[in-house]
Amino acid sequence: MLFRSLQVKLDEDDLKKKGTNVIFEINKMLDALELSRTRIPNAEQDYLVTFFEKYASGYNFLIKEEFTDRPFLSTAEIACAEFWNDPNYTTNNLHKIINKDDENDQDKYYSKIKEIFENRFHTYHKYFAIVHADGDNIGKFIEKISGDGLLLAKFSENLLNFSKDAVKKIKDFNAIPIYAGGDDLLFFAPVAHTKEKSNGDIIIEKTILDLIYEIDKLFDNYFTYYNKEGIDFEKNISEMDEPVSMSYGVSISYYKFPLSEALTESRDRLFKYAKNSPGKNAVAFRILKHRGQQFSAVFNKDENPYKTFYKLVKEHLDNENYIHSIAHKFKPQNSVLYSIGKEEDEELRNKMFDNFFRNNFDESVHKKSETELTDFLQNVKQLFKEIYSKNKLELSKEDKLFLEKKYFNETERNFESEEIIKEKHKNNIGKIYAALRFIDFIINREDRDE
């Protein structure tokens, strides 16, 4: 499918007469055009289409050079990107196994990968990530500084430099940048990378969340905390009602999953979930297992639940069944957790979570001392406290207004109130399960049903 280029034309004099800022107006229009493309209405009359269709006659050397060979890595190769720099990868000609987008080639590729890197192979090596990233409230920031030519010029320069440095970080992760236009990024990436310690142990060294962290640090350096040579973005941003930040949509799929669907899913995760999360500045991820099971969550990166989740991902666990066994402890206790979550007094609620973990995780595998839980379980408990503190099991003002308008009968109103609170509990538990299953997915060496 081919697309025409989209243009924006404005009369600067006319805008000035109306008192409208030119940069401002263009920014609004470009934001709208970014989400739409116009298909060529009559392909037969378009010379570009004719040019591309000349491939069969041998006329189009561009297509021959770019598309008769395989210029882009397969999803299997991207998923296994951590092995690219290993000498065993090239000496065993792994980079030559996949010559066509042929399923048999990919099967041969994985067979060889497992044979050579047996001790490092994990479930995630058969999955790849697609990440859409976009700046939050950038248009509002441009609006704020639009009257200062020096600030605008520096903003443009920093935006370009951020994009270039972000691409470097993406490539350092052995990910593949597809598009980098200022604060708008799209890339394909491996899910994680392992590392072999001096004692021979294999640990997860970094994950896709670490790459997101690195890109965020760049963004902070160029915008959030930028204050150099008289250009003070930090002050301007601190004065905004909604500060600038980056949000991410992450779709993690099996290497055989249709690429177009994975791409759409990643974009949806960004614009339907992360961008619509309160405060934005979010990571919205979904992992779709090859048997159809899936789990997802949205975390605001500035809030405590995400920081604890990130800390849990970074912890090293030797036992691959550890998280699986922990998660299964919660399922039969759902009604107990619901009762704890409904406690309005935060201090008392947290003490109840302390008691819950003390009573349910009392085996030696759960403790680092006679009285203390392992660091991992301490952080899981902390995640419960933070999520139920952030999303309390109570009616908001909006909930109450909705119920008052919809129901005159008090019995019906009370029933619906309970249903709303139960749904909040379901969302909280779902978020905790998604966090644990994300970690379980990364550390496991064999794909399994839940």
Side-chain angles (χ1 to χ4, degrees):
M1 184 185 293
L2 295 176
F3 299 93
R4 293 191 187 278
S5 62
L6 297 171
Q7 300 179 14
V8 172
K9 292 184 179 180
L10 295 171
D11 188 318
E12 186 175 358
D13 293 333
D14 185 50
L15 289 172
K16 284 181 178 177
K17 287 177 184 177
K18 295 177 181 177
T20 305
N21 186 289
V22 179
I23 300 243
F24 213 26
E25 199 64 28
I26 288 176
N27 187 65
K28 287 181 182 177
M29 289 181 149
L30 289 175
D31 279 346
L33 285 174
E34 183 183 11
L35 302 177
S36 63
R37 288 175 175 170
T38 306
R39 187 174 180 176
I40 294 172
N42 189 348
E44 292 179 1
Q45 297 176 6
D46 192 279
Y47 294 113
L48 189 59
V49 173
T50 304
F51 176 74
F52 275 101
E53 288 179 346
K54 289 284 186 180
Y55 170 72
S57 67
Y59 171 77
N60 192 342
F61 65 92
L62 290 178
I63 285 188
K64 275 190 170 182
E65 289 183 1
E66 291 301 320
F67 297 106
T68 51
D69 292 325
R70 194 172 54 84
F72 197 83
L73 293 169
S74 69
T75 53
E77 289 167 298
I78 294 171
C80 294
E82 72 170 89
F83 302 129
W84 294 349
N85 299 327
D86 192 298
N88 289 315
Y89 193 86
T90 50
T91 55
N92 285 278
N93 292 319
L94 289 172
H95 58 296
K96 295 181 179 179
I97 291 178
I98 302 178
N99 294 313
K100 300 172 287 186
D101 286 328
D102 187 295
E103 189 173 320
N104 291 332
D105 281 355
Q106 292 180 326
D107 290 340
K108 292 173 188 174
Y109 178 77
Y110 272 113
S111 178
K112 202 69 176 174
I113 285 280
K114 287 182 179 180
E115 178 187 326
I116 297 168
F117 301 105
E118 182 181 5
N119 62 333
R120 290 173 62 185
F121 192 82
H122 285 69
T123 295
Y124 71 76
H125 284 120
K126 285 199 169 186
Y127 291 77
F128 68 101
I130 298 181
V131 181
H132 274 89
D134 190 53
D136 303 316
N137 305 313
I138 297 297
K140 293 179 181 178
F141 181 53
I142 294 173
E143 180 180 355
K144 181 168 178 55
I145 65 174
S146 59
D148 190 320
L150 287 175
L151 287 179
L152 278 173
K154 192 62 183 178
F155 170 80
S156 180
E157 180 185 336
N158 279 17
L159 198 61
L160 176 61
N161 289 332
F162 164 74
S163 180
K164 289 163 65 177
D165 287 351
V167 167
K168 289 178 185 175
K169 292 291 184 184
I170 291 166
K171 288 182 175 179
D172 287 345
F173 194 75
N174 282 355
I176 310 296
I178 305 299
Y179 176 81
D183 61 312
D184 189 1
L185 305 171
L186 169 62
F187 54 92
F188 293 5
V191 176
H193 290 274
T194 58
K195 178 182 179 181
E196 186 170 358
K197 296 174 69 177
S198 57
N199 63 0
D201 286 349
I202 303 296
I203 63 169
I204 303 298
E205 181 184 22
K206 49 190 174 182
T207 71
I208 192 68
L209 299 184
D210 292 297
L211 177 55
I212 288 172
Y213 175 82
E214 291 296 325
I215 295 173
D216 275 347
K217 295 302 289 182
L218 286 175
F219 187 86
D220 286 344
N221 290 339
Y222 279 116
F223 301 106
T224 312
Y225 304 121
Y226 189 88
N227 182 6
K228 297 178 182 177
E229 301 174 351
I231 303 294
D232 192 351
F233 289 159
E234 183 177 13
K235 180 177 181 296
N236 280 278
I237 290 171
S238 67
E239 292 171 351
M240 293 173 61
D241 292 334
E242 298 176 291
V244 298
S245 56
M246 289 288 289
S247 284
Y248 301 82
V250 183
S251 167
I252 297 175
S253 309
Y254 194 61
Y255 75 99
K256 292 183 181 180
F257 189 72
L259 192 58
S260 61
E261 292 182 36
L263 193 63
T264 299
E265 179 62 31
S266 170
R267 189 170 180 82
D268 286 348
R269 287 290 136 188
L270 173 62
F271 289 105
K272 290 184 180 180
Y273 297 94
K275 289 283 191 178
N276 286 320
S277 176
K280 301 178 183 178
N281 190 28
V283 174
F285 70 83
R286 185 194 76 161
I287 296 180
L288 176 64
K289 306 290 283 294
H290 80 282
R291 292 187 179 92
Q293 297 171 331
Q294 61 176 287
F295 52 93
S296 60
V298 184
F299 283 92
N300 181 293
K301 293 184 273 97
D302 269 348
E303 293 174 353
N304 288 330
Y306 182 76
K307 293 173 183 176
T308 300
F309 169 48
Y310 186 69
K311 191 185 295 184
L312 283 165
V313 174
K314 301 291 285 182
E315 285 199 37
H316 173 59
L317 296 174
D318 293 316
N319 187 344
E320 293 177 29
N321 294 313
Y322 191 66
I323 297 176
H324 193 69
S325 64
I326 288 172
H328 276 277
K329 286 269 189 180
F330 299 133
K331 289 185 177 179
Q333 301 275 20
N334 186 61
S335 59
V336 176
L337 291 168
Y338 179 58
S339 298
I340 295 173
K342 283 182 69 176
E343 173 54 52
E344 295 180 4
D345 184 284
E346 184 170 354
E347 185 177 352
L348 180 56
R349 184 173 65 245
N350 287 342
K351 286 182 179 178
M352 292 167 74
F353 276 127
D354 288 336
N355 291 332
F356 175 87
F357 272 78
R358 188 182 302 115
N359 294 333
N360 284 278
F361 299 99
D362 55 356
E363 299 173 20
S364 59
V365 69
H366 301 136
K367 296 181 177 183
K368 65 178 180 181
S369 70
E370 192 171 333
T371 57
E372 278 190 292
L373 293 171
T374 61
D375 291 340
F376 187 86
L377 274 171
Q378 290 279 12
N379 282 322
V380 173
K381 181 173 67 174
Q382 186 65 22
L383 187 63
F384 267 89
K385 292 178 179 180
E386 290 165 355
I387 285 179
Y388 278 87
S389 176
K390 183 64 185 174
N391 188 33
K392 295 181 173 64
L393 301 192
E394 60 187 29
L395 296 178
S396 65
K397 290 180 181 179
E398 292 77 12
D399 292 332
K400 291 175 182 177
L401 286 171
F402 167 76
L403 292 172
E404 286 173 5
K405 288 180 180 179
K406 188 173 181 180
Y407 300 103
F408 294 103
N409 185 293
E410 187 176 352
T411 303
E412 290 180 342
R413 196 159 55 239
N414 289 339
F415 175 80
E416 189 66 22
S417 298
E418 189 70 15
E419 291 303 303
I420 290 173
I421 292 172
K422 284 180 179 178
E423 186 64 25
K424 290 187 176 185
H425 169 68
K426 181 181 176 182
N427 290 338
N428 286 352
I429 289 292
K431 198 167 190 172
I432 292 165
Y433 277 139
L436 292 175
R437 291 177 71 183
F438 182 95
I439 304 163
D440 185 58
F441 169 76
I442 287 173
I443 69 170
N444 270 298
R445 297 177 185 274
E446 295 293 335
D447 215 348
R448 64 185 178 192
D449 294 324
E450 298 301 319

